[in-house]
Amino acid sequence: MDSLVTVDWLKNHLNDSDLVILDASASDIISGNVPELDTVKIVGARVFDLKNDFSDTTSLYPNTLLSPEDFELACQSLGINKTSKIIVYDNLGVYWSPRVWWLFKAMGHVNIAVLDGGLPEWLAEGFPVEVKKFKVLHKGDFKASLNNKMIVGFLDVLENTKSEDAVLIDARSSGRFSGSVPEPRKDLRGGCIPNSINIPYQSILNEGKYKPISELKTIFKELKQEERPLVFSCGSGVTACILLLASELVGTKNKKSVYDGSWTEWAQKVL
């Protein structure tokens, strides 16, 4: 299974054994994107609460990665198994879902894909949906094994500002990256991490779907010539994963990771 699938693919595989569909939709006040499709889900989908169940709510920073033990338990409570074939989507087209894709990859589960276009595309094709409601699920046997190479921390990024061993790529808008536009989080200063480059996540999407591979290759052309590892960052580690998935789609072979604290952490620690 590829890392990105179409709504037609999912419609044709709804009855596959071990298929698990995850609805990662959430209210996104920070970015200004306000989802309208918050009461329905793809038929058979399970609600994946990224903010409350799959992020460390005790952290000082939003969307922080859970421990492998807590991630494992949360997945088991959703009935996810070691053999599950997972499709994840959200109601903004492509926004939250790549973060979930990356989470599972980082936790050692590779059989997962993002639904291109998400719920809006599914509805546009007239495919079946149902009202969201609580459902008791049988406990799964999912096991997590953290791949530390897929995540970097503050000290790693701080060192990289001097060594430049890796290419640090920021997915925020050009205005936020330059500091000419204020950060959406109150009292958080603007600007960027030294020696980072900017590829706004909006530049690789078109109406909630990934742009064609040919266009993505143009955007990532210079990076494909790099041999250094790629580290993706943004405001809080979500849209960074949109870029990471795009770099996978165009076939970059570099080692890839996410700076989980992203600009929210950096801006508070480096004044």
Side-chain angles (χ1 to χ4, degrees):
M1 186 170 63
D2 294 332
S3 291
L4 187 70
V5 299
T6 66
V7 293
D8 287 326
W9 184 97
L10 179 57
K11 177 63 167 59
N12 292 331
H13 290 80
L14 280 177
N15 296 319
D16 284 7
S17 61
D18 290 329
L19 179 73
V20 171
I21 307 172
L22 299 179
D23 183 325
S25 303
S27 298
D28 185 31
I29 308 256
I30 291 296
S31 76
N33 294 326
V34 181
E36 298 178 354
L37 308 170
D38 58 355
T39 60
V40 298
K41 61 183 178 67
I42 293 175
V43 62
R46 306 171 192 186
V47 176
F48 186 97
D49 192 340
L50 177 62
K51 288 285 187 180
N52 297 303
D53 296 337
F54 287 89
S55 296
D56 182 2
T57 56
T58 67
S59 173
L60 295 174
Y61 311 111
N63 310 314
T64 304
L65 188 70
L66 280 177
S67 69
E69 296 78 14
D70 288 340
F71 187 86
E72 183 175 297
L73 289 173
C75 285
Q76 289 177 355
S77 70
L78 276 182
I80 300 173
N81 296 313
K82 293 179 287 187
T83 58
S84 291
K85 179 168 60 177
I86 302 171
I87 306 297
V88 59
Y89 73 90
D90 63 73
N91 57 2
L92 289 173
V94 169
Y95 189 83
W96 301 100
S97 47
R99 172 70 180 188
V100 179
W101 169 85
W102 174 78
L103 285 176
F104 276 95
K105 293 276 188 176
M107 291 295 178
H109 190 89
V110 298
N111 206 4
I112 180 169
V114 166
L115 182 66
D116 199 19
L119 184 58
E121 182 76 3
W122 183 266
L123 284 168
E125 293 297 326
F127 295 153
V129 295
E130 60 187 5
V131 175
K132 284 186 178 180
K133 59 183 178 181
F134 177 77
K135 184 178 181 180
V136 177
L137 298 163
H138 294 292
K139 183 178 179 180
D141 63 6
F142 182 88
K143 295 296 180 183
S145 178
L146 180 62
N147 180 355
N148 288 303
K149 294 180 180 180
M150 293 188 67
I151 181 172
V152 298
F154 171 77
L155 293 178
D156 300 309
V157 175
L158 180 63
E159 171 59 30
N160 193 69
T161 61
K162 304 169 186 176
S163 68
E164 296 188 66
D165 289 335
V167 182
L168 183 63
I169 308 163
D170 194 319
R172 293 176 300 154
S173 68
S174 57
R176 291 173 64 187
F177 183 79
S178 67
S180 62
V181 173
E183 284 293 309
R185 288 179 174 82
K186 186 179 179 181
D187 299 327
L188 189 68
R189 70 181 179 88
C192 62
I193 298 171
N195 299 320
S196 58
I197 66 173
N198 183 215
I199 302 179
Y201 81 89
Q202 298 95 332
S203 68
I204 65 170
L205 300 176
N206 182 26
E207 296 184 350
K209 297 174 65 176
Y210 278 95
K211 288 182 177 179
I213 297 298
S214 59
E215 294 183 35
L216 295 179
K217 284 183 175 179
T218 299
I219 296 172
F220 283 90
K221 183 178 180 181
E222 292 185 7
L223 289 181
K224 288 194 70 174
Q225 298 170 356
E226 288 274 3
E227 295 183 354
R228 293 181 291 167
L230 306 179
V231 177
F232 296 91
S233 177
C234 57
S236 63
V238 174
T239 58
C241 299
I242 299 177
L243 283 190
L244 194 154
L245 176 52
S247 73
E248 286 276 293
L249 297 176
V250 301
T252 55
K253 302 301 182 184
N254 315 61
K255 293 180 181 177
K256 304 175 186 69
S257 57
V258 169
Y259 172 26
D260 205 36
S262 283
W263 180 251
T264 304
E265 179 181 38
W266 182 272
Q268 294 181 59
K269 288 187 173 181
V270 180
L271 301 176

